[in-house]
Amino acid sequence: MKRSTFSAGAALAAAGLLLTACTTSGSSSGAPATAEGAALSTDTVRTTIDLPATLDPTQGLSLPDFLAARMGYDTLVRKDEGNTVVGGLAQSWEGTPKGAVFTLRQGLTCSDGTPITPSVVKASLEYLISPKTASAAAPQVFGPAGAPTITADDAANTVDIALAEPWPDMLEGLSIAQTGIICPAGLDDPKALAAGTAAGSESGPYVLSEKEHGVRYTYSLRDGYDAWPAYAKELPGQAAPKIQYNVIVDKNATANQLLAGQLDIGFVNANSLPRFKDNDGFSVTNEAFSDFYVLFNQREGSPFTDPEKRTAVAQVLDRTVFEGITSMGEGQVTQQLVAEGTQCSSPDQSPVIAVDQDAAKPVLDGVKIRMVGAQILGPQGSGNVYVQEQLRAAGADVTLENLDVGGWIGTVFGKPSGWDMTVYADLNFIGTMSNPLNSMVGPAIEDGGGNVGAIQNDEAAAALAKFRAAADDDARCAALQESMNSIIANADAIPLTNDPRLMVAADGFAVVSYGGALDDQHNRITK
């Protein structure tokens, strides 16, 4: 849930990373895995989504925005298993320390038939980085040093991205939904783009064919679309001719409708999982999703300018109990600020602060704490209530604002002096260790940076700078470990859990997200 403007620095200036040259061939991932031309049992996948705030990919801030963007807008590259990146619209790429040159696939078209040339890609990426667009994704993708220079060579079918300063996360960044390529029809009418009515704007497989705002969004597969990602493993089944997203916020209602045959695929909470686990009519997918960790506000006036008080908070929180409340045993109890399996992660060597309630009580007794939390942490925000009660049991005077996601974002990012601590829900779609660290070093958000809690940790910042200057993977990973260990040991942030995304698919359907890219969800028909 990172949020910033392109003028904001996400952290320190990046140093060098040599992107490996990569070539992909056209993929048949959208074609049937079963017999060619086999009759489908249905032409529609009925699934669920929370209410999207926008249908403009560049403006996406939350999962429903990203899922909607993936329907219509393809990215240059996609994430695959094993921390790899494969071709999307790009056929191949070659990197330098300050950028990359992408060669596009042949024969790409927009939904209105317009050829997707390098000039079309350049225009879309320049819309993404424009100060007028103010996309939160731009600095995550290209770094905080400023806009890259983008050059299109239509004759050579290449797009050259030259960064203002080296940025190690660029390739992974270009896989996220907000970088989806928008065709000229969408760029010509941004208001229609955001509303989903810019006909011909799509570069991806689906077009929005029906919309009941806040109720239902139906997408139809484009005739002749054949630019599926070049995954190492073929997608199961067949692409659905239609995907119907139904806006259902109540996950218990989702479970009921799955069991009643009114939905084919849905996102459920852990408390509904026993209804499906021993049911042969359904399959369940458990994927690491949202990293939960305590983040402190270290601005003047907050009690958490004091490292002893931050440490004491860590000493009263049992991560296993917290996971049981929020994920009911289906998630990960984490020792770092990322999920296990994230590239460079090494949880066993993390300096996690041990529980010691007796040591914490005299430190927290009488301390006034303004806590803000998002209601997505367990049913009705029960994870936030657990943290509040543990602090109260230690003698702290805690007020809790248990808010919807919009209210939480508005407070944490819009009112820098209006809170003391939060359980941060981090959707790390780029999937790197550096992603959370970029929000914990450098200038505070009110000063044009990306440092949410105004953390002042010179050791962590210096290690992150070493990561960007490192010459090889081992050195980069060592620097990331040093930076994250410093944040955790100094109690600038307290690891808690990774909350899973639990997807249920009825027999005859499948839902697939490769490489942990949960904003890149493929809903498939398998019978």
Side-chain angles (χ1 to χ4, degrees), residues 108-432:
L108 299 170
T109 62
C110 301
S111 59
D112 62 0
T114 300
I116 300 177
T117 63
S119 292
V120 168
V121 172
K122 175 180 184 290
S124 180
L125 293 178
E126 287 183 338
Y127 173 72
L128 170 70
I129 63 179
S130 169
K132 290 179 65 176
T133 304
S135 173
Q140 288 181 287
V141 177
F142 300 113
T149 299
I150 303 171
T151 306
D153 186 335
D154 289 345
N157 203 30
T158 59
V159 179
D160 187 341
I161 301 175
L163 297 170
E165 293 183 3
W167 184 247
D169 288 344
M170 187 190 77
L171 189 61
E172 289 81 2
L174 285 168
S175 74
I176 64 175
Q178 299 98 305
T179 68
I181 299 304
I182 302 164
C183 289
L187 299 181
D188 289 344
D189 193 345
K191 288 186 178 179
L193 176 67
T197 57
S201 65
E202 299 90 355
S203 62
Y206 288 89
V207 296
L208 182 62
S209 52
E210 297 177 46
K211 183 181 76 165
E212 298 175 64
H213 181 67
V215 178
R216 186 174 297 108
Y217 301 80
T218 302
Y219 289 87
S220 297
L221 184 64
R222 290 168 50 192
D223 289 338
Y225 175 85
D226 192 28
W228 301 99
Y231 294 128
K233 180 180 178 181
E234 194 161 17
L235 291 166
Q238 300 186 43
K242 289 187 179 181
I243 296 179
Q244 182 186 89
Y245 275 113
N246 299 280
V247 178
I248 303 176
V249 177
D250 184 348
K251 299 300 182 286
N252 290 320
T254 296
N256 291 337
Q257 290 192 35
L258 283 162
L259 289 164
Q262 297 168 332
L263 290 172
D264 306 308
I265 294 172
F267 174 23
V268 302
N269 286 333
N271 60 354
S272 296
L273 213 53
R275 305 170 71 182
F276 300 98
K277 275 195 167 180
D278 296 322
N279 189 328
D280 292 338
F282 298 91
S283 60
V284 178
T285 303
N286 181 324
E287 298 273 5
F289 181 51
S290 183
D291 297 308
F292 291 162
Y293 49 83
V294 174
L295 185 68
F296 297 102
N297 190 341
Q298 298 187 37
R299 295 170 178 87
E300 185 177 355
S302 169
F304 297 117
T305 56
D306 180 357
E308 189 178 13
K309 291 185 176 65
R310 300 196 302 268
T311 298
V313 172
Q315 290 172 327
V316 301
L317 300 181
D318 187 315
R319 292 173 293 127
T320 300
V321 172
F322 180 87
E323 191 280 332
I325 292 169
T326 56
S327 305
M328 299 182 65
E330 299 295 333
Q332 297 179 16
V333 176
T334 54
Q335 300 183 74
Q336 295 184 299
L337 306 176
V338 293
E340 290 184 24
T342 301
Q343 190 170 16
C344 295
S345 65
S346 180
D348 290 343
Q349 55 77 61
S350 180
V352 176
I353 297 168
V355 173
D356 189 344
Q357 296 184 5
D358 290 339
K361 286 180 179 179
V363 179
L364 292 174
D365 188 40
V367 176
K368 293 184 180 297
I369 300 172
R370 298 167 301 165
M371 181 180 170
V372 60
Q375 293 171 355
I376 58 173
L377 275 75
Q380 290 79 51
S382 53
N384 297 313
V385 175
Y386 165 75
V387 174
Q388 179 190 33
E389 291 306 312
Q390 289 299 102
L391 294 170
R392 283 180 170 174
D397 180 1
V398 186
T399 58
L400 169 63
E401 287 188 272
N402 214 346
L403 305 172
D404 61 29
V405 172
W408 178 81
I409 290 173
T411 299
V412 172
F413 293 93
K415 301 176 183 177
S417 299
W419 57 283
D420 296 321
M421 63 174 284
T422 186
V423 178
Y424 202 85
D426 189 356
L427 299 181
N428 185 353
F429 287 118
I430 290 180
T432 62

